Amino acid sequence: MRRKQKLAFVLGGGGHMGAYEVGMLRALLEHGLTPNLVVGTSVGALNGAAIAADPALPTVDSLESIWLSLDQGEIFGGSIYAGAANLVRTRTHLHSNRSLRKLIERTLPVRTFEELRVPFQCVAASIERAAEHWFDSGPLADAILASAAVPGILPAVEIDGEHFIDGGVVNSIPVSRAVELSATEIYVLHAGRVERPLEPPKNLWQVAWVAFEIARRHRFARDMASLPEGVVVHVLPTGERSPARYDDVSQLRYGDFKAVRRRIDRAHRATRAFLEDSPSPRREG
């Protein structure tokens, strides 16, 4: 039986590289593509909730302005020394999530899932159940904080007695969830890391990084290889000519937002060209 046409935006995790997603969103909306469903992970949960609240270009304008204004202090609440002091005190994480909560509340024009114009879900990893958990109702800020709780950087988030960490641990680019929710055409907005070649690690940092990357890429590749008949997926480009190496030390600078403007512009140009060249992107109106 044919599925009813349903267009979904899937926004992956990637920290400060989530700026790429803003450029992609602008190109999609300029092209007349608006979603019937939005799903997101980590920073993709924040970007996704914003567009689900009002899938229109003024929303992207506002989102872009917020991204361009970000600095490490606003998200992570201070210097690396403050982070080190917090780690000594908590033993589990470098930063409080209070600043991120304020950013979420400033970014979103609504407070609950039920107020969004487009159905939206975001994922986090449950510690107690060792499983992915999908949020689709209740307070948005709590759900997004849970989805973006990067282990070691931000604290686990407790909701109804259960503890959650970053959704990227279990489903970094949640194409499978969009399929489960009956999407027939899916646009994948990602932060560029799947474009980076992997090599055998040469130090302890690279061992951890390669292990995580294999896990997240394996899940994405498996989901893409097992798409049901009738489902079309478009993986949007970041516009980077030479993807950075997976072990680039810039990955350690999770609070570095200096490249936001470049990332937004490159992804916008590349996605616009991709859509213009695509044989059958659907336009509204």
Side-chain angles (χ1 to χ4, degrees):
M1 188 174 80
R2 289 189 63 186
R3 294 181 173 215
K4 182 180 179 181
Q5 291 297 306
K6 186 175 185 179
L7 189 149
F9 289 176
V10 171
L11 294 92
H16 59 289
M17 292 190 296
Y20 289 121
E21 297 174 352
V22 180
M24 294 170 180
L25 285 170
R26 180 175 296 283
L28 287 166
L29 296 181
E30 287 175 345
H31 210 72
L33 292 159
T34 55
N36 307 116
L37 168 70
V38 180
V39 295
T41 299
S42 198
V43 70
L46 177 55
N47 288 336
I51 208 66
D54 184 13
L57 285 171
T59 299
V60 181
D61 293 338
S62 176
L63 196 57
E64 182 174 308
S65 295
I66 289 170
W67 268 91
L68 289 170
S69 71
L70 293 179
D71 59 42
Q72 178 169 333
E74 181 168 9
I75 302 295
F76 300 109
S79 68
I80 190 171
Y81 303 107
N86 197 62
L87 179 60
V88 169
R89 186 177 73 255
T90 67
R91 299 185 180 182
T92 60
H93 54 275
L94 287 166
H95 304 286
S96 162
N97 62 14
R98 288 189 296 271
S99 296
L100 181 56
R101 179 181 289 276
K102 290 178 182 178
L103 174 66
I104 293 168
E105 293 173 347
R106 179 163 68 92
T107 301
L108 302 181
V110 299
R111 294 291 176 262
T112 67
F113 282 83
E114 291 76 11
E115 296 172 85
L116 297 171
R117 292 183 58 186
V118 176
F120 166 72
Q121 296 188 9
C122 64
V123 66
S126 165
I127 293 176
E128 286 83 357
R129 291 184 289 114
E132 65 183 65
H133 177 88
W134 285 91
F135 294 94
D136 62 1
S137 63
L140 280 162
D142 290 347
I144 295 170
L145 279 177
S147 186
V150 183
I153 305 299
L154 294 169
V157 175
E158 181 179 357
I159 300 175
D160 296 331
E162 192 169 1
H163 297 82
F164 298 95
I165 58 175
D166 195 288
V169 173
V170 287
N171 203 338
S172 186
I173 306 176
V175 169
S176 58
R177 187 61 174 181
V179 172
E180 290 171 9
L181 296 172
S182 303
T184 56
E185 186 173 12
I186 300 170
Y187 285 86
V188 174
L189 296 79
H190 64 99
R193 279 161 46 183
V194 294
E195 300 173 347
R196 301 174 181 194
L198 291 178
E199 298 174 359
K202 298 180 177 65
N203 57 49
L204 194 58
W205 155 248
Q206 291 182 12
V207 169
W209 184 258
V210 168
F212 179 69
E213 281 299 301
I214 289 173
R216 68 188 295 274
R217 295 185 195 196
H218 172 74
R219 173 67 187 266
F220 179 57
R222 187 188 66 187
D223 290 346
M224 292 292 287
S226 59
L227 293 171
E229 185 177 355
V231 175
V232 177
V233 177
H234 311 274
V235 181
L236 302 180
T238 61
E240 295 294 349
R241 298 180 184 87
S242 301
R245 287 174 54 87
Y246 70 92
D247 59 347
D248 190 322
V249 294
S250 67
Q251 292 300 301
L252 291 168
R253 298 194 291 270
Y254 55 85
D256 186 355
F257 295 94
K258 295 184 179 66
V260 164
R261 175 82 273 169
R262 175 181 61 79
R263 288 174 176 148
I264 291 174
D265 290 346
R266 286 193 177 182
H268 175 241
R269 290 193 300 269
T271 299
R272 185 175 58 191
F274 173 88
L275 295 172
E276 289 171 352
D277 291 340
S278 181
S280 60
R282 189 177 70 206
R283 289 177 177 267
E284 300 290 336

